[in-house]
Amino acid sequence: MLGRLISYAIGGVFVLTLLVAAFAPREAVVEDPNHALHKYPMKISWAQDGVFGTFDRAQLQRGFQVYKEVCAACHGLERIAFRNLVDIGFSEPEVKAIAKAYEVASIDDKTGEASTRPAVASDYFPSPYPNEVAARAANNNALPPDLSLITKARQGGKDYLHSLLVGYGQPPAGHEVPEGLYYNPYFANINIAMPPPLASAGQVTYAEGQPEPTIDQMSRDVSAFLDWAAEPKAETRKRTGVAVMIFLLILTGLSYLAYRRVWAELKSRGAH
Amino acid sequence: MAIVEESVGEDGVRRRDFIYVATGAFAAAGAAAAGWSLVDQMNPSADVLALASIEVDLAAVQTGQAIKVSWRGKPVFIRNLTAAEIQAANATPVSELRDPQTLAERTKEGKQNWLITLGVCTHLGCVPLGAAEGEVRGDYQGYFCPCHGSHYDTAARIRKGPAPTNLEVPEYAFKSDTLVQIG
Amino acid sequence: MSFPWAKHYEPSHPFMKWVDSRLPLPRLVYNSIGAGYPVPKNINYWWNFGVLSGFALVVQIITGIVLAMHYSANTLVAFDSVEHIMRNVNGGWMMRYLHANGASFFFIVVYIHIFRGLYYGSYKPPREVVWMLGLVVFLLMMATAFMGYVLPWGQMSFWGATVITNLFSAIPVVGNTIVSWLLGGFAVDNAALNRFFSLHYLLPFIIAGVVILKIWSLHIPGSSNPTGIEVKGPEDTIPFHPYFTAKDGFGLCVYLLLFFGVAFFLPNALGHADNYIPANPLSTPSHIVPEWYFWPFYAILRAFTVDFLFIPAKLWGVLAMFSAILLLFFLPWLDRSPVRSSNYRPTMKWLFVLLIVDVIILGWCGGAPAEEPYVRISQIASAYYFLHFLVLMPLVSVIERPLPLPNSITEAVLKGKDRDGAPIGMAQATNATISATPAE
């Protein structure tokens, strides 16, 4: 009896405290004017979507070209090694040639001083800035993020990335864009420090037989490429997953039959 | 309450036995596949395999000098043999050796002055002395392992001490006169 | 083990005889999960979740040991080492996704297991210790999961660790001292990451130890069952093996289908995008949330927004959050009803449904940003949570009139579908048929 009273008392105190809080007057919430302007990413259909979707290798190679010629000026890709490019359809000699065009940090083996050497396939993409301070200094105190994980690190992933790249526009009347920033309704803060990277069609020249390099096309290609870069094992994962699921479906069926069999024996025994 | 008919085949094997065996076999196969992935994860990873071969520029290695490079986490000795050292190696009768090999077998044709071996004593894995300037080179003027006193000659063949075999020659190929790819 | 009619282990092979007479391990297995453990024959699929929880623990330990072979617990390289696992280690992506989603699925089966215990009164005598050991496992799981989430050293890892360890700063007088002791510094940093890794590796083995104690204590009275009435004789039970090994095997396959379906095809659906950004102590993400399995408790923590009775709101929140879990230890004494199963408790059945709805609402609020209407909803829902356990449950257990119980498990099984509302005349007495009436 005493225990029950203690329990009522403790419960009563918690409930009372919560009800006081629930009925306490709320301070008026100041609506963030940017909130109304914010847009959710467009829904885009991708070759790699779905259980059986695979990356479009030609698209990834075009996307790599866009990254190399446009994004790489400010954004690193530090978790991708040149050898990984074999996955998107480059041959080993092509990868070696791509790597050779990059200079990576090294140490002079005679003087011990910092120097550079041409990259080899096992090297990772060098970042455009030596450190964060230098990156901020060169970009009006905004830090261009490394792009190796960008589609996993942003809600909406590749849809968001594409929406952001093509989403620049004129601000609506009454919206003031601060100096040095650009209007982009897909960006969480509406005003983004990155100038429109894809400014005009044909900014990148695609090889013969590839689609027209419109802004939309370049944006899709580089978004697909960065989606691959965020998880190069995604195709392997889905392929393994399909095999695992087929195996498990069969095993589930068999184990169900075995279970019914075992219990059927019990029932037949019970009836005799 | 249902009474289940047990279908008994000609050979007396009942159908439910098949289901139990099939379920057990499938489950075992699944467990084996899962087990393999647990084993495989300990194999060298992709970034380690990517460093499995290296390229070394030999232009700066003078006759009589040796350099040490790191390959797959182990030292590799690259020695530019002098004519005297080559002669000493060739003068040794192969029949006298614990691990009979000629210098020619341990170098590439036309590049007999380039002796490329792992810097790992075949006894218990220490790094022998002799590759750096001024180090002890042992009784046979090659390499000397201080751990248990193995002496190697100018062709890095075992001559004295506990090591069972010559210093191992890794797989390598000359890509040009001064560029060698190891691995 | 638990009943006189339990089958005895009789090894037939000479080798097994030899082993059994020296180290009776085969006998232990036989009596625990073999033919020597008689189980009520009427237990339903909700009883699968105990075995599933044990399986989930084993999956976490195995994948965790594998991940620890490649992970580095240092703030400089922790994030990189996780990406190294994802990109370079053979099958590393699979191990990590199975481990990360395995934690979520572990909590899913444990929550179902807990709610099964709540509905069927499994916490009541003589199984109080089984229930309480289960709660100890639950607390250890929460600690393990929290510390595990810090290890990838992403933004959510860092800020989750910062927020949760700061809970202890609500303790009067010594709060800040405790926080800096926990962290080994004045903020979450290398020292904290290292000790979290050490403890994250240790705790699962302690959990496994408590699970063994729990199974031991379960085997004294034997498993409960959906009627809540005790086993009366051999006709009420069947051996665990082969009947429940077969049923659990099938249940396990269905569980694996769901688990692998998520781990292979939606591996990041239960995670948070911000944790793919390396930890940055100088910038907090705009909306930080714990993992989904903490949301109901997180909602209770945040529901206390007003200083009241001279206690600051922050301390109220911390007290309430811990109370919300700890009060479950007192359930065997809060619920005085002699009837275990809610099948025979018309009022409790509805309260149980309300509780589930309430916890789901709390979870939804816990995952939402701290703004209206979520705050007010979480305040009402938190109030109901305490009302349910501390007021309604003790009250209802005294005033409720339970439905008549069947005389035995076998009778309930023969009546089959009628068991949800036993027909009049089927049982003379209600309380008299319960062999273990709680002592007043």
Side-chain angles (χ1 to χ4, degrees):
Chain A
M1 190 61 206
L2 178 67
R4 214 181 308 148
L5 287 180
I6 293 173
S7 142
Y8 293 157
I10 295 175
V13 169
F14 275 130
V15 170
L16 184 65
T17 312
L18 283 160
L19 291 182
V20 167
F23 291 105
R26 299 296 197 259
E27 283 171 27
V29 178
V30 184
E31 189 67 35
D32 177 8
N34 285 352
H35 197 75
L37 297 172
H38 184 251
K39 285 193 203 165
Y40 286 98
M42 298 178 264
K43 282 266 166 281
I44 311 290
S45 144
W46 304 88
Q48 65 264 43
D49 281 344
V51 170
F52 299 102
T54 51
F55 292 111
D56 173 353
R57 296 295 190 279
Q59 182 179 40
L60 296 189
Q61 294 190 15
R62 294 196 302 271
F64 169 59
Q65 195 188 347
V66 177
Y67 165 75
K68 196 170 61 172
E69 294 177 19
V70 182
C71 319
C74 304
H75 294 278
L77 195 65
E78 63 184 14
R79 293 176 203 285
I80 294 292
F82 293 103
R83 63 183 160 84
N84 294 134
L85 295 176
V86 173
D87 289 1
I88 67 170
F90 288 107
S91 68
E92 299 223 3
E94 282 173 328
V95 167
K96 279 192 176 170
I98 292 168
K100 218 170 196 157
Y102 285 82
E103 288 282 315
V104 293
S106 175
I107 292 169
D108 188 307
D109 54 8
K110 285 185 199 71
T111 64
E113 281 170 20
S115 73
T116 62
R117 61 170 171 82
V120 296
S122 59
D123 284 316
Y124 290 78
F125 273 87
S127 293
Y129 303 105
N131 53 52
E132 187 182 328
V133 179
R136 285 189 186 276
N139 287 286
N140 199 14
N141 202 32
L143 177 70
D146 185 88
L147 296 182
S148 346
L149 274 168
I150 202 72
T151 65
K152 277 167 119 180
R154 294 292 180 277
Q155 208 127 39
K158 51 197 183 296
D159 285 354
Y160 166 78
L161 200 56
H162 172 70
S163 304
L164 188 82
L165 287 174
V166 299
Y168 287 87
Q170 287 306 313
H175 178 80
E176 197 74 39
V177 179
E179 181 68 32
L181 300 183
Y182 303 84
Y183 178 76
N184 192 326
Y186 294 100
F187 188 61
N189 292 337
I190 306 297
N191 307 311
I192 189 169
M194 174 170 70
L198 301 172
S200 61
Q203 191 173 344
V204 174
T205 311
Y206 283 165
E208 199 73 20
Q210 298 294 335
E212 276 298 302
T214 59
I215 291 180
D216 186 77
Q217 187 64 45
M218 291 187 291
S219 163
R220 280 169 196 260
D221 293 348
V222 77
S223 302
F225 169 71
L226 291 174
D227 191 44
W228 165 81
E231 192 174 339
K233 293 282 195 272
E235 266 179 16
T236 317
R237 164 165 64 76
K238 289 194 283 188
R239 220 170 30 235
T240 314
V242 169
V244 166
M245 295 310 266
I246 292 172
F247 170 82
L248 266 179
L249 279 172
I250 298 171
L251 183 60
T252 307
L254 281 173
S255 67
Y256 181 72
L257 291 177
Y259 158 54
R260 298 304 297 179
R261 276 271 159 182
V262 170
W263 282 68
E265 278 172 53
L266 176 73
K267 284 182 180 159
S268 65
R269 211 174 54 204
H272 287 305
Chain B
M1 199 158 288
I3 298 166
V4 174
E5 298 284 327
E6 283 174 356
S7 49
V8 181
E10 290 287 299
D11 51 358
V13 176
R14 288 169 302 175
R15 197 165 78 87
R16 64 141 207 250
D17 292 337
F18 168 73
I19 288 171
Y20 295 155
V21 170
T23 310
F26 246 76
W36 166 245
S37 67
L38 296 178
V39 171
D40 187 40
Q41 55 90 14
M42 287 173 70
N43 277 322
S45 58
D47 56 329
V48 173
L49 292 176
L51 297 173
S53 70
I54 55 164
E55 287 178 359
V56 183
D57 187 359
L58 302 177
V61 186
Q62 305 295 325
T63 304
Q65 281 188 334
I67 58 167
K68 268 191 224 184
V69 295
S70 171
W71 172 69
R72 294 184 183 175
K74 294 180 214 166
V76 169
F77 294 162
I78 303 176
R79 180 175 288 282
N80 192 348
L81 297 173
T82 62
E85 286 169 337
I86 295 172
Q87 206 196 347
N90 287 336
T92 310
V94 173
S95 54
E96 269 181 28
L97 297 171
R98 185 178 304 168
D99 182 9
Q101 261 186 326
T102 62
L103 179 64
E105 284 166 351
R106 294 172 58 74
T107 51
K108 298 283 178 208
E109 205 176 328
K111 300 276 182 196
Q112 230 184 54
N113 60 318
W114 289 110
L115 177 67
I116 301 181
T117 60
L118 282 189
V120 179
C121 179
T122 55
H123 178 220
L124 289 171
C126 296
V127 177
L129 300 173
E133 206 70 47
E135 280 181 354
V136 183
R137 294 179 64 171
D139 294 357
Y140 295 87
Q141 293 309 306
Y143 300 110
F144 170 66
C145 181
C147 288
H148 304 96
S150 291
H151 297 257
Y152 297 89
D153 68 9
T154 53
R157 296 175 295 198
I158 182 64
R159 298 298 288 274
K160 190 173 146 191
T165 57
N166 303 334
L167 287 187
E168 191 189 330
V169 177
E171 199 179 300
Y172 69 91
F174 279 91
K175 308 212 96 175
S176 73
D177 268 356
T178 56
L179 191 68
V180 64
Q181 179 183 314
I182 303 174
Chain C
M1 210 163 162
S2 52
F3 299 109
W5 59 87
K7 281 199 224 167
H8 287 280
Y9 182 61
E10 274 154 27
S12 51
H13 195 277
F15 175 71
M16 294 310 275
K17 275 184 188 153
W18 186 87
V19 172
D20 187 59
S21 58
R22 284 155 181 81
L23 177 69
L25 199 59
R27 181 176 298 269
L28 181 70
V29 172
Y30 184 87
N31 290 337
S32 313
I33 52 169
Y37 179 44
V39 180
K41 61 184 175 187
N42 61 332
I43 62 174
N44 55 33
Y45 277 110
W46 298 115
W47 265 259
N48 278 47
F49 288 87
V51 166
L52 289 181
S53 310
F55 178 80
L57 175 64
V58 170
V59 168
Q60 291 307 94
I61 289 180
I62 291 176
T63 53
I65 288 172
V66 166
L67 291 171
M69 293 185 192
H70 306 282
Y71 171 77
S72 301
N74 183 300
T75 53
L76 292 176
V77 291
F79 190 94
D80 295 341
S81 71
V82 172
E83 277 306 311
H84 163 70
I85 290 169
M86 292 297 291
R87 291 162 191 266
N88 290 326
V89 175
N90 300 312
W93 56 270
M94 181 163 64
M95 296 300 159
R96 171 161 179 259
Y97 278 151
L98 288 179
H99 196 72
N101 288 290
S104 281
F105 274 79
F106 195 2
F107 273 97
I108 290 173
V109 292
V110 162
Y111 276 127
I112 293 175
H113 191 58
I114 292 174
F115 276 102
R116 191 269 288 161
L118 284 173
Y119 182 83
Y120 291 110
S122 302
Y123 47 85
K124 292 193 183 186
R127 297 183 184 82
E128 305 98 310
V129 172
V130 186
W131 172 256
M132 291 194 281
L133 286 173
L135 290 174
V136 171
V137 168
F138 181 51
L139 286 171
L140 288 171
M141 272 175 71
M142 294 208 283
T144 310
F146 160 68
M147 289 188 282
Y149 197 57
V150 177
L151 303 185
W153 207 243
Q155 274 287 66
M156 278 293 165
S157 301
F158 181 87
W159 292 102
T162 302
V163 168
I164 300 299
T165 51
N166 265 309
L167 292 181
F168 293 93
S169 70
I171 301 169
V173 188
V174 292
N176 286 321
T177 316
I178 289 178
V179 172
S180 49
W181 172 76
L182 279 174
L183 296 178
F186 305 105
V188 178
D189 209 334
N190 204 44
L193 178 64
N194 253 307
R195 64 190 60 183
F196 282 10
F197 179 53
S198 168
L199 293 173
H200 181 74
Y201 205 119
L202 167 71
L203 286 185
F205 296 99
I206 295 181
I207 292 177
V210 179
V211 166
I212 287 170
L213 294 183
K214 184 174 190 276
I215 295 172
W216 188 10
S217 69
L218 172 70
H219 281 64
I220 306 302
S223 299
S224 68
N225 69 85
T227 66
I229 55 179
E230 286 297 322
V231 166
K232 297 252 167 48
E235 71 281 2
D236 289 344
T237 65
I238 45 178
F240 189 87
H241 180 76
Y243 299 106
F244 292 102
T245 37
K247 192 175 178 180
D248 282 325
F250 169 59
L252 184 61
C253 288
V254 175
Y255 168 77
L256 284 178
L257 272 174
L258 296 170
F259 172 32
F260 286 168
V262 171
F264 281 101
F265 300 109
L266 295 165
N268 294 305
L270 296 168
H272 200 291
D274 280 318
N275 225 27
Y276 280 107
I277 303 172
N280 178 357
L282 301 181
S283 149
T284 310
S286 55
H287 175 207
I288 58 167
V289 282
E291 289 282 82
W292 68 267
Y293 35 80
F294 292 132
W295 286 355
F297 301 105
Y298 194 55
I300 292 176
L301 172 78
R302 293 194 303 184
F304 290 80
T305 52
V306 183
D307 300 349
F308 188 63
L309 296 177
F310 311 107
I311 298 176
K314 183 174 164 185
L315 182 55
W316 269 119
V318 174
L319 280 175
M321 188 181 71
F322 284 110
S323 305
I325 303 165
L326 296 181
L327 63 82
L328 298 173
F329 280 93
F330 296 93
L331 279 201
W333 297 278
L334 289 171
D335 181 0
R336 311 292 302 188
S337 172
V339 177
R340 291 199 186 91
S341 171
S342 294
N343 279 347
Y344 302 99
R345 300 184 61 187
T347 317
M348 203 56 207
K349 190 187 264 179
W350 283 108
L351 288 182
F352 176 80
V353 173
L354 279 179
L355 177 70
I356 290 203
V357 173
D358 187 58
V359 169
I360 290 172
I361 290 174
L362 279 173
W364 171 61
C365 291
E371 54 194 42
E372 296 301 342
Y374 306 111
V375 177
R376 192 163 272 149
I377 294 172
S378 65
Q379 285 163 340
I380 306 285
S382 304
Y384 182 78
Y385 183 91
F386 289 106
L387 194 72
H388 174 93
F389 283 110
L390 294 175
V391 179
L392 295 178
M393 194 178 236
L395 199 63
V396 165
S397 67
V398 188
I399 60 176
E400 183 184 44
R401 280 179 59 93
L403 299 176
L405 292 170
N407 285 316
S408 72
I409 291 173
T410 303
E411 188 186 285
V413 171
L414 289 173
K415 284 287 164 192
K417 292 176 179 60
D418 293 337
R419 71 173 191 279
D420 280 349
I424 316 267
M426 189 170 137
Q428 301 296 321
T430 52
N431 295 1
T433 57
I434 297 160
S435 55
T437 308
E440 287 299 322

